[in-house]
């Protein structure tokens, strides 16, 4: 965690944005897997972490924007905690660590909130995404479950997004650490995978790197030769020469910052000509998209730039045809690139997605498209210094989607369906890096992870 001053400053920033009212920040509890005492790995709420820093279950916070006072609520450790869990800090020690004015026993929260409601005070909270916190809000505020789920504060969302979207220097240092581990995970995959192994075996090694560094995963590992299934978390295939292996995974450090990197490489030691051709198109789109990621440019326009570069490459291969700017405007390229170019990343891999992409990735100047492909772009607004973004174009050959569009006679002016037969079973290629937008442009966050064909073939050449 950071110094107390960081949390004091963040809360002061929130108070000055909110001006009045009581902010309730709900920390997370432990979530049972199959019975109460057998829980999933604990994950603190990201907003709670940002303002309160305490990575422990069962905590809540009240920030009084009228009085300028922050209160941490939790339980004093009992002898049972010492017996079963080990030494835990007292509430007052935790409070000192984050510079709050007051610590209070958690059972006081209900009467405190009831009193605030009786006094006619406004209570702001963020969209609750866990059922236990919805139930708590319902009980504490005396509102229906539906109202508890929907009654979140839009001014609070806007204030939090404005703060969290601009990463401080110490956050970038924390993200660099997450990317160091993430790089090691990717190099492990590149050095481990060989024909005859299962995806699960490689996944186990990759996961082990993250755990070995004291953290965990920023999201479930995607490691598959079926890279065209975008968020495919199965690891059942046996790797075969001739396939491309797509690995999209990243570490979440114990400081709770995320990495999100994708690399795609052949199961064989070398790319085939067909694999090279598709890979080169994606790499060119990614490099050009990164270069275009500068303050003031909308990420939506960079998404369209990447789509246009890839459409051009596909035309050179005879897969697309016709007027490419019209093809991209109408969305024909989305047959091969059905997702967005990237998203904000930070404490969360999709940073602040709990607060709603409408607030995180769009604004009054940038409206979200309803078109297939472009509608999946999580972040379209103009870039600012301090944004950390993923840039992750990809090309995929999804047999079911190709067959559907072909049967519908869709975009026959732009797509040469006959040429696609040669790509059945190709899978997909995605290349993803994380970049910091700076005053003058951008820079990579974390170490350079090999992505040029020659670099990948060199590593694969020594792998087995
Ligand atoms: N790891 C999921 C994504 O790239 O958005
Ligand atoms: Mn991503
Ligand atoms: Mn990813």
């Amino acid at each position: 965690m950071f110094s107390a001053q960081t949390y004091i400053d963040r809360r002061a920033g929130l108070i000055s944005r909110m001006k009045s009212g009581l902010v309730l920040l709900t920390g997370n509890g432990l979530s049972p897997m199959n019975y109460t005492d057998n829980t999933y790995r604990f994950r603190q709420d990201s907003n709670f972490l940002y303002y309160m820093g305490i990575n422990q279950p069962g905590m809540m916070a009240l920030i009084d924007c009228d009085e300028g006072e922050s209160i941490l609520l939790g339980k004093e450790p009992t002898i049972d905690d010492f017996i079963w869990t080990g030494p835990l800090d007292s509430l007052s020690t935790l409070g000192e660590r984050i510079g709050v004015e007051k610590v209070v026993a958690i059972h006081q929260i209900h009467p405190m909130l009831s009193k605030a409601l009786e006094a006619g005070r406004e209570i702001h909270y963020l969209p609750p995404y866990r059922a236990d916190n919805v139930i708590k809000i319902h009980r504490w505020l005396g509102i229906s479950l539906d109202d508890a789920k929907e009654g979140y504060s839009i001014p609070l969302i806007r204030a939090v997004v404005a703060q969290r979207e601009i990463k401080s220097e110490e956050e970038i240092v924390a993200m660099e650490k997450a990317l160091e581990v993430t790089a090691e995970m990717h190099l492990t995959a590149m050095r481990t995978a060989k024909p005859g192994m299962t995806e699960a075996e490689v996944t186990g090694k990759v996961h082990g790197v993250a755990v070995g560094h004291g953290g965990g995963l920023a999201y479930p590992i995607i490691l598959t030769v079926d890279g065209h299934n975008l968020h495919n978390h199965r690891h059942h295939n046996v790797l075969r020469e001739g396939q491309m292996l797509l690995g999209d995974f990243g570490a979440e450090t114990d400081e709770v910052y995320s990495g999100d990197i994708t690399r795609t490489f052949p199961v064989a030691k070398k790319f085939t000509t067909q694999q090279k051709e598709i890979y080169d198109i994606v790499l060119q789109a990614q490099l050009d998209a990164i270069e275009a990621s500068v303050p003031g440019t909308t990420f939506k326009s960079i998404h369209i730039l990447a789509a246009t570069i890839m459409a051009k490459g596909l035309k050179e291969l005879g897969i697309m045809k016709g007027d490419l700017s019209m093809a991209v405007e109408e969305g024909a390229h989305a047959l091969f690139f059905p997702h967005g170019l990237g998203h904000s990343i930070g404490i969360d891999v999709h940073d602040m997605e709990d607060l709603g992409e409408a607030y995180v990735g769009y604004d009054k100047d940038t409206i979200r498209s309803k078109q297939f492909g472009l509608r999946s772009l999580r972040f379209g607004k103009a870039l600012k210094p301090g944004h950390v973004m993923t840039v992750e174009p990809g090309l995929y050959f999804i047999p079911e989607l190709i067959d559907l569009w072909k049967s519908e006679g869709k975009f026959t002016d732009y797509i040469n369906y006959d040429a696609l037969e040669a790509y059945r079973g190709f899978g997909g290629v995605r290349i993803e890096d994380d970049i910091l937008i700076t005053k003058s442009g951008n820079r990579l966050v974390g170490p350079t992870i090999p992505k040029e064909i020659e670099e990948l073939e060199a590593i694969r050449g020594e792998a087995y």
Side-chain angles (χ1 to χ4, degrees), residues 260 343 350 390 392 432:
D260 181 11
H343 49 84
H350 292 173
T390 70
E392 50 179 307
E432 175 174 26

Side-chain angles (χ1 to χ4, degrees), residues 219 222 231 248 260 262 343 349-350 378 390 392 430 432:
Y219 52 98
I222 299 168
H231 280 178
D248 180 349
D260 181 11
T262 307
H343 49 84
V349 60
H350 292 173
R378 301 177 191 283
T390 70
E392 50 179 307
R430 179 165 63 255
E432 175 174 26

